[in-house]
Amino acid sequence: MMSVVGHRIGIDLEEAQIPSSAEVDQLVRESVHDAGGAVHGYLWVPYQPQGDTYIWAVSMSHIVIHTWPEKKVLTVDVFSCQSDGKDLMGRIVARVPHGRARKCAYR
């Protein structure tokens, strides 16, 4: 049996006020810093006519955010090798104004 190598958490934020690309990067960097980590790499992919994907390589492992402005949805995926990722996820979610947060099911 394989041992657990990390923890994955996914949250969908509905009725979200989608931040600008610079604001998304800043709120993730602040969240990582506040959780005691560091950002080692960053990729931003804008889509037309709208929406974005963001990926950060962090000391804990990685974070991915996808946005759907037309649906007012922002998803956050955190994979952490150092903890269960809940603290980092909570810091990110708290920085994005939203109506409802729904945990994602991975299959």
Side-chain angles (χ1 to χ4, degrees), residues 18-79:
I18 308 297
S20 70
S21 58
E23 292 168 331
V24 171
D25 185 41
Q26 180 180 353
L27 74 87
V28 168
R29 288 176 186 274
E30 289 172 354
S31 297
V32 169
H33 178 266
D34 292 352
V39 173
H40 298 293
Y42 168 69
L43 174 66
W44 168 44
V45 181
Y47 295 99
Q48 295 300 324
Q50 55 196 357
D52 301 283
T53 293
Y54 306 86
I55 304 167
W56 294 263
V58 298
S59 54
M60 295 95 163
S61 191
H62 64 265
I63 301 163
V64 178
I65 291 181
H66 305 284
T67 67
W68 289 268
E70 73 280 14
K71 295 182 180 185
K72 296 183 179 176
V73 172
L74 183 145
T75 66
V76 183
D77 295 305
V78 171
F79 187 87

